[in-house]
Amino acid sequence: MTIAQQAFSRLQYPLPHHALSRLTGTFAQCDNRWVKNTLINAFIKRFEVDMSQALEPDPSAYATFNDFFTRALKADARPLGDGLLSPADGTLSQYGRLQAGQLVQAKGHTYSAQTLLGGDTALAEEFLGGSFATVYLSPRDYHRVHMPVTGTLREMIYVPGRLFSVNEATAKHVPGLFARNERLVCVFDTQHGPMAMVLVGAMIVAAIETVWSGQVTPLSGHPQRMRFGQPITLEKGAEMGRFKLGSTVVMCFANPVAFEAIPTGSMVQMGQTLGMA
């Protein structure tokens, strides 16, 4: 890691993460035509966003920056593969087996599944001996999150926390990053056993949404567990949530996954086969 990357990571500690993120959210939701078009066009240029696969390719057609950022893709843009699918476009930063209840964050850094899942010992024990995979969504990526396999929602757990950046430099330097940030833990029961999809917040991520609850974060500073009266079953490849600005999805599987031989750090697309559950 360069000196600049180290400095960037350390400078994040004293920053007012939530205040900065909420301020960003205000601008992102602004529907003033000049403001939102200026933001969208500058963003497309800065991050070289490919609009050709968007269901609405005209940047000026979006009502707000958030609508542009969470844009839908054309129906044939992301064909679904076999087995366990990538839930999003992004970088496959780490994957493998949970060793003694630990996930790999970056080379030389691990963190506990129990902490990631909100401190629930019984829930964490369901994933002992299982597998995990982490996908980082950069600003230029498609920001809707989809189901890796078909699953029925058991519960949703909101876990308050900081909002550090989740890019590679921060992941290498901030211990327990994904278990420190604000996050939404969605526990599903699948034919392959329990699966937890953890949508991790990050700096300037204004909100996290799910298809069954709408916008969930930000909430209060207290953990919240939510169950729903009617079964919520989502098919493999179906949208389950979205980020309003980029972040990370951590998937935990109760049973081992035979992952494809994809080098860590590789770009993946939603619907791409990651392995066989």
Side-chain angles (χ1 to χ4, degrees):
M1 184 185 297
T2 67
I3 294 175
Q5 289 175 327
Q6 291 178 343
F8 170 73
S9 299
R10 290 170 180 167
L11 283 172
Q12 293 182 56
Y13 281 88
L15 290 176
H17 294 180
H18 288 271
L20 288 172
S21 299
R22 305 315 168 224
L23 179 63
T24 302
T26 299
F27 282 102
Q29 199 56 33
C30 177
D31 60 2
N32 177 277
R33 186 171 182 81
W34 183 86
V35 172
K36 61 95 174 177
N37 284 345
T38 298
L39 289 173
I40 291 170
N41 290 326
F43 190 92
I44 290 173
K45 182 177 180 180
R46 168 67 178 82
F47 293 104
E48 301 180 343
V49 177
D50 179 9
M51 295 296 291
S52 65
Q53 294 183 325
L55 185 62
E56 174 51 78
D58 179 7
S60 65
Y62 294 93
T64 67
F65 179 87
N66 274 338
D67 289 344
F68 151 75
F69 195 80
T70 58
R71 61 195 175 276
L73 298 182
K74 295 175 182 176
D76 60 351
R78 295 292 183 273
L80 303 183
D82 298 323
L84 176 72
L85 306 181
S86 172
D89 287 10
T91 301
L92 183 62
S93 59
Q94 297 290 335
Y95 65 91
R97 295 289 299 274
L98 277 88
Q99 302 290 343
Q102 298 286 307
L103 295 81
V104 177
Q105 175 176 301
K107 186 176 181 180
H109 292 277
T110 61
Y111 62 104
S112 79
Q114 182 173 335
T115 305
L116 176 71
L117 299 174
D120 187 321
T121 302
L123 178 59
E125 286 178 349
E126 294 188 50
F127 296 94
L128 291 176
S131 297
F132 77 96
T134 303
V135 177
Y136 163 67
L137 291 73
S138 74
R140 67 175 295 175
D141 291 320
Y142 167 63
H143 274 78
R144 298 192 182 191
V145 181
H146 294 251
M147 294 292 289
V149 295
T150 298
T152 299
L153 184 69
R154 182 197 304 177
E155 66 177 334
M156 182 171 71
I157 307 166
Y158 166 74
V159 186
R162 298 297 304 274
L163 287 173
F164 288 98
S165 169
V166 291
N167 62 19
E168 182 182 5
T170 311
K172 289 180 177 179
H173 189 73
V174 177
L177 173 63
F178 304 131
R180 297 174 75 159
N181 274 13
E182 179 181 64
R183 56 203 178 277
L184 197 63
V185 180
C186 303
V187 183
F188 292 90
D189 291 310
T190 81
Q191 66 175 350
H192 310 289
M195 172 184 72
M197 293 188 67
V198 185
L199 279 60
V200 182
M203 194 174 298
I204 74 171
V205 174
I208 298 172
E209 297 183 356
T210 67
V211 297
W212 58 86
S213 291
Q215 183 169 316
V216 180
T217 69
L219 288 176
S220 69
H222 304 284
Q224 297 186 35
R225 303 183 78 116
M226 291 158 266
R227 290 178 179 259
F228 302 87
Q230 298 296 321
I232 299 171
T233 299
L234 298 177
E235 297 296 319
K236 175 180 174 179
E239 182 187 347
M240 61 81 61
R242 60 185 70 173
F243 290 109
K244 292 182 176 178
L245 295 182
S247 197
T248 291
V249 180
V250 181
M251 299 173 289
C252 296
F253 306 96
N255 294 315
V257 172
F259 287 106
E260 299 279 298
I262 304 174
T264 56
S266 297
M267 300 298 296
V268 293
Q269 289 190 329
M270 190 285 289
Q272 179 179 334
T273 299
L274 295 184
M276 295 295 168

